[in-house]
Every structure is written in structure tokens, then in C-alpha cells.
Amino acid sequence: SNPLIFPDKPWETFNISAGSVIRTPEGLYKMFYTSYNPYEVPTKENYVCYAESIDGLNWTKPNLGFFNYQGSTQNNILFGGFDQTVTGRPISATASLEVQGVSIIYDVKETDPNKRYKMIFSQLVDYYGDTYGIFAAFSADGINWDRNTAFVHHGDHAETQHLLDAPDFGQYMITHKVVVLPGDNPGSLPDRRA
């Protein structure tokens, strides 16, 4: 009944969801989330958005100034589903331009400062016949992302996944939700470890 943030921007008309909150070594809280406006014409696009806080309770959505939303860059959008640089591949004409399931970690042990922030997200991609793909992106500051970097996994997963640091194993792990359609036998689905 008392949300930390709520949909108060035109690009958040339908919802805000599926994100991560990181506390930086400097003490700033950074929130990454997705938003969706199904009433947009013609795109009906999803967006990856940013908010920040000094106490974790009071959040601002700063104007980042680089994503063009309906003719203005005065918004907190990091990127959107229609941005083909996300996947490096054209979006399917039948896809709903979805970017979903943003999960981010801040990697203190990363030696490359340009990869300190690590993000995964899913997006519908034409290359795999309108199935979702999970992609990785990297950033030095959590604002400017190198999104044309790594395709991680494809398959029948959906809008929720989590990126985890597994230092005991010397690697990163991804967990994600799998879509089970009517008639599928969940016990017979193949192992799709990324």
C-alpha cells in the first residue's frame, strides 16, 4: 500500500516490474526496472528504466537525456525493446518488442572497470523464431551500457530471470522461468543450463 516507486510516467502507463536494486560502494542505491505502455502507437514497447536513492526509501527518476521517447530525451529510460542494438538482430514483425526480466549485479572483483555492472535481460528475437533470448550487457557506471556484447541463451523461457555471482564455483549463474504450454510434460523438458 506504500510503494517505493509507482508508474507516474507516460512510458509506465501499464506497469513497472522485474528489476534489481544495487547499493554502490559510494552508498548510492540504483534501481533498474522494466516498464510497459500497451497503449503506445505504433510500438507497444517495453523499456529498461533507472531510478536512484540516497536512503533506499525516497527514489528519483532522473532525466538521463539519451533515449528518444516520442520526440523527447527527458526521461529515465536506459533503452527500449525496439532498439536493435540490444540484440544486433532485427526484431520480428510479430514480436511485441519486449525487453523483460532485467537482473543486474555489481561485481567488485571485476578487473575490467567497463564490466563492473553486469546485466542480463530477455527479449523476443526473430533469429530464433519468435522465442526469447537472454542477453548480457556491461557498464562502468550502470547508466551507459554496452548492449551489443553477448548472447547468452535461447529457449522457451519468459520474463523472469536472475543473474547470480557464484564465487565458490568461479562463474556466474542464471536462473530463469520456463514456459510450459498446455500438453507439455514438465518432467520431459530438456535441461537448458546456460
Side-chain angles (χ1 to χ4, degrees), residues 6-16 35-40 45 47 49 61 69-70 74-77:
F6 54 93
D8 60 354
K9 305 293 185 186
W11 50 92
E12 302 171 338
T13 301
F14 186 72
N15 71 359
I16 53 178
S35 69
Y36 179 55
N37 180 356
Y39 309 109
E40 286 182 332
E45 190 171 355
Y47 304 97
C49 301
K61 299 174 183 177
Y69 177 82
Q70 297 186 357
Q74 295 301 301
N75 57 64
N76 67 323
I77 300 171

Side-chain angles (χ1 to χ4, degrees), residues 156-167:
D156 51 4
H157 42 81
E159 72 279 359
T160 303
Q161 57 267 333
H162 300 282
L163 176 61
L164 308 167
D165 188 0

Side-chain angles (χ1 to χ4, degrees), residues 141-189:
D141 59 7
I143 303 295
N144 299 285
W145 290 89
D146 180 0
R147 304 182 310 272
N148 198 13
T149 53
F151 176 72
V152 178
H153 183 60
H154 83 278
D156 51 4
H157 42 81
E159 72 279 359
T160 303
Q161 57 267 333
H162 300 282
L163 176 61
L164 308 167
D165 188 0
D168 292 344
F169 300 100
Q171 60 186 359
Y172 303 97
M173 297 171 58
I174 296 173
T175 63
H176 62 82
K177 182 172 86 174
V178 175
V179 175
V180 179
L181 300 175
D184 286 347
N185 178 355
S188 67
L189 292 175

Side-chain angles (χ1 to χ4, degrees), residues 81-93 95 97 123-129 131-136 147-154:
F82 195 66
D83 186 347
Q84 293 186 17
T85 62
V86 173
T87 64
R89 302 181 181 100
I91 303 298
S92 166
L97 308 179
Q123 183 170 20
L124 283 172
V125 289
D126 189 44
Y127 187 78
Y128 288 104
T131 61
Y132 280 93
I134 296 178
F135 295 86
R147 304 182 310 272
N148 198 13
T149 53
F151 176 72
V152 178
H153 183 60
H154 83 278

Side-chain angles (χ1 to χ4, degrees), residues 22-147:
I22 293 172
R23 186 172 186 259
T24 69
E26 300 77 29
L28 181 67
Y29 292 90
K30 296 184 176 186
M31 180 186 294
F32 306 87
Y33 63 95
T34 55
S35 69
Y36 179 55
N37 180 356
Y39 309 109
E40 286 182 332
V41 177
T43 62
K44 297 182 173 63
E45 190 171 355
N46 288 58
Y47 304 97
V48 178
C49 301
Y50 172 79
E52 61 188 22
S53 172
I54 57 171
D55 61 6
L57 297 174
N58 300 290
W59 292 85
T60 60
K61 299 174 183 177
N63 287 325
L64 301 175
F66 54 77
F67 186 88
N68 186 344
Y69 177 82
Q70 297 186 357
S72 173
T73 58
Q74 295 301 301
N75 57 64
N76 67 323
I77 300 171
L78 293 169
F79 60 91
F82 195 66
D83 186 347
Q84 293 186 17
T85 62
V86 173
T87 64
R89 302 181 181 100
I91 303 298
S92 166
T94 60
S96 60
L97 308 179
E98 295 179 347
V99 169
Q100 299 183 348
V102 174
S103 181
I104 297 173
I105 60 173
Y106 181 82
D107 191 351
V108 296
K109 68 183 184 313
E110 174 60 64
T111 57
D112 183 346
N114 293 318
K115 293 185 176 181
R116 197 63 48 84
Y117 289 84
K118 295 173 173 42
M119 173 195 294
I120 61 166
F121 58 92
S122 64
Q123 183 170 20
L124 283 172
V125 289
D126 189 44
Y127 187 78
Y128 288 104
D130 290 347
T131 61
Y132 280 93
I134 296 178
F135 295 86
F138 303 95
S139 174
D141 59 7
I143 303 295
N144 299 285
W145 290 89
D146 180 0
R147 304 182 310 272

